[in-house]
């Protein structure tokens, strides 16, 4: 495969045919027809499909994780724990929670609307386009897919062109559980197809991928006013205080930075360590990192990179840092990397500066730059000094201190003495701040986000008119009394009641 070609252009990967852009109008109308039937199914029936999917997932776990590992270069156990298990748990979570999250919910009605009832009804949005990346090609397509299906939508999934076998896997799973026709369609193609899909007026777009692609999608969905969730890149900081469990923090940093070869949006991409423990921490970090094996066997720890253009980006960041005075403590100098190889040794960098690309831009590879800090304020400032705001982690054995620091993190997820995990807890909302994204998925919020929330107010319809309707004659003073008596510091229910009664009486006339 040449560096410029995506895997989908390689005939050896293609068992499904590429989707032509000209097919999109038919795909959209098929989805709309599927939606009409599926959205009317009771939620129990929809959740039955998802339960079947969960069982099938577990039955096929070995094969699924093999396909993911072969398509991405990640270690099979990572495919199992970070993709298959996360999807299975997301489904189980929906089976437990979706009915409650989507149940019509009574809302309170303020006293000024006395006599009326209020509630919120959740309805499916319609046709949802899900566009996903290559780094977790199964999980990042399937989790939003099952949420959107629980909410009653029809889906058009456009998985990454870099991992087409995973797209085929997704398609086969939905076929096996007997989804009604048109409810789930999987498309095969690259960014041009993704763009055309977004331009085909779906009712909702859920995108996971790079910041620039997120901007390109927003440039289409913004003017069209299509609701869109964007899950984008990250540059996640890890802060290690002097009272942390050092060995755990070292192991956590290594896993957080090098799992999936660092190609994780929530990878630890910046490590800040307190000055007083910096040297001993770094020694242990280097020592433990040098024990890791890179390769694609079951005995290996770090898999290979997935795509060549990502290797090139990593090379640029590391080279620029080294040229600017950084030191490489583990791994190989980029000048010595084997041409065309996807195998990268884990790299620890010191002597880095906050303004280097390796500290500011998403590297998305097995690179861990480490910096020292002196005070809590400095650590918080450095951690928040980023265009991104996905997750962060704080390491201290003083949990109260850790929580105080987390309260000041400008990230949409945060962990105390752990890394990456928030995305794996389906009870927690997941999203990004700043350039890391817009909107949330997961938790009750996720399934609700895939729903049109209709706010309803009901009046029994017996009164001739409401107090705030025409005619206005003589009402201004009464409304002023109402405001004064109910919302001011000198609340007076007597005056409030009297003013309200007078307004009511005016309403009865005529
Ligand atoms: P990418 O943006 O290049 O591609 C993602 C998907 O978008 C692919 O399916 C691609 O075909 C499609 N696409 C490309 N151009 C498009 C366009 N103009 N309109 C519509 N669709 C288009 O991203 P990638 O390289 O596959 O993934 C890596 C990026 O994803 C990293 O930046 C990473 O941080 C991010 N990511 C974010 C999260 C998160 O949850 N926040 C999770 C995983 C990955």
């Amino acid at each position: 495969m040449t560096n410029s070609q995506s895997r989908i252009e390689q005939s050896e990967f293609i068992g499904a045919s590429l989707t032509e852009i000209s097919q999109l109008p038919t795909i959209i109308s098929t989805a709309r027809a599927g939606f009409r039937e599926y959205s009317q199914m009771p939620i129990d029936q929809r959740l039955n499909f998802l339960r079947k999917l969960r069982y099938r997932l577990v039955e096929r776990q070995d094969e699924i994780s093999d396909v993911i590992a072969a398509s991405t270069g990640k270690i099979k156990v990572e495919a199992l724990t970070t993709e298959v298990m996360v999807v299975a748990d997301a489904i189980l979570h929906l089976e437990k929670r979706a009915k409650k999250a989507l149940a019509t919910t009574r809302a309170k009605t303020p006293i000024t609307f006395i006599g009326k009832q209020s509630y919120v009804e959740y309805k499916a949005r319609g046709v949802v386009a899900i566009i996903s990346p290559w780094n977790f090609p199964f999980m990042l397509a399937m989790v939003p897919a099952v949420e959107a299906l629980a909410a009653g939508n029809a889906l058009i999934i456009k998985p990454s062109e870099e991992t087409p076998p995973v797209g085929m896997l997704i398609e086969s799973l939905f076929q096996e559980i007997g989804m009604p026709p048109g409810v789930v369609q999987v498309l095969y193609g690259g960014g041009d197809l993704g763009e055309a899909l977004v331009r085909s007026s779906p009712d909702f777009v859920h995108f996971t991928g790079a910041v620039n692609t997120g901007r390109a999608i927003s440039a289409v969905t913004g003017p069209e006013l299509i609701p869109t969730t964007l899950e984008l890149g990250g540059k996640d900081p890890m802060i290690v205080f002097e009272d942390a469990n050092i060995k755990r923090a070292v192991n956590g940093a290594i896993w957080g930075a090098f799992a999936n070869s660092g190609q994780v949006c929530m990878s630890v991409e910046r490590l800040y360590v307190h000055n007083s423990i910096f040297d001993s921490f770094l020694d242990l970090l280097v020592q433990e990192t040098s024990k890791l094996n890179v390769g694609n066997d079951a005995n290996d720890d770090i898999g290979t990179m997935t795509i060549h253009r990502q290797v090139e980006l990593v090379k640029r960041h590391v080279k620029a840092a080294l040229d600017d005075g950084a030191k490489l403590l583990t791994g190989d100098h980029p000048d010595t990397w084997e041409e065309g190889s996807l195998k990268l040794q884990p790299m620890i960098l010191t002597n880095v500066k906050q303004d280097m690309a390796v500290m500011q831009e998403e590297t998305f590879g097995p690179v861990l730059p480490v910096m020292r800090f002196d005070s809590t304020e400095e650590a918080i400032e450095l951690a928040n000094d980023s265009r991104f705001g996905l997750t962060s982690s704080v390491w201290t054995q003083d949990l109260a201190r850790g929580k105080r620091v987390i309260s000041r993190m400008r990230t949409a997820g945060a962990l105390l003495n752990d890394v990456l995990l928030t995305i794996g807890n389906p009870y927690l909302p997941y999203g990004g701040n700043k350039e890391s994204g817009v909107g949330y998925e997961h938790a009750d919020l996720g399934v609700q986000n895939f729903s049109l929330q209709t706010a309803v107010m009901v009046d029994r319809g017996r009164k001739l008119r409401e107090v705030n309707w025409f005619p206005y004659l003589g009402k201004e003073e009464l409304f002023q009394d109402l405001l004064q008596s109910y919302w001011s510091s000198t609340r007076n229910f007597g005056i409030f009641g009297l003013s309200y009664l007078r307004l009511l009486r005016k309403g009865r006339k005529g």
Side-chain angles (χ1 to χ4, degrees), residues 392-431:
S392 53
S393 71
V394 176
W395 298 69
T396 165
Q397 292 194 67
D398 178 347
L399 299 190
R401 176 193 197 186
K403 287 178 188 172
R404 279 197 304 274
V405 173
I406 279 178
S407 295
R408 295 181 58 194
M409 286 293 123
R410 303 301 301 158
T411 52
L415 295 115
L416 189 44
N417 300 316
D418 211 330
V419 281
L420 310 193
L421 275 199
T422 48
I423 193 173
N425 179 352
Y427 289 88
L428 281 177
Y430 178 75

Side-chain angles (χ1 to χ4, degrees), residues 477-496:
E477 204 178 322
L478 291 172
F479 272 116
Q480 280 173 351
D481 289 347
L482 212 61
L483 258 164
Q484 182 63 37
S485 59
Y486 193 70
W487 285 281
S488 76
S489 58
T490 54
R491 186 175 259 193
N492 185 325
F493 285 109
I495 296 178
F496 174 80

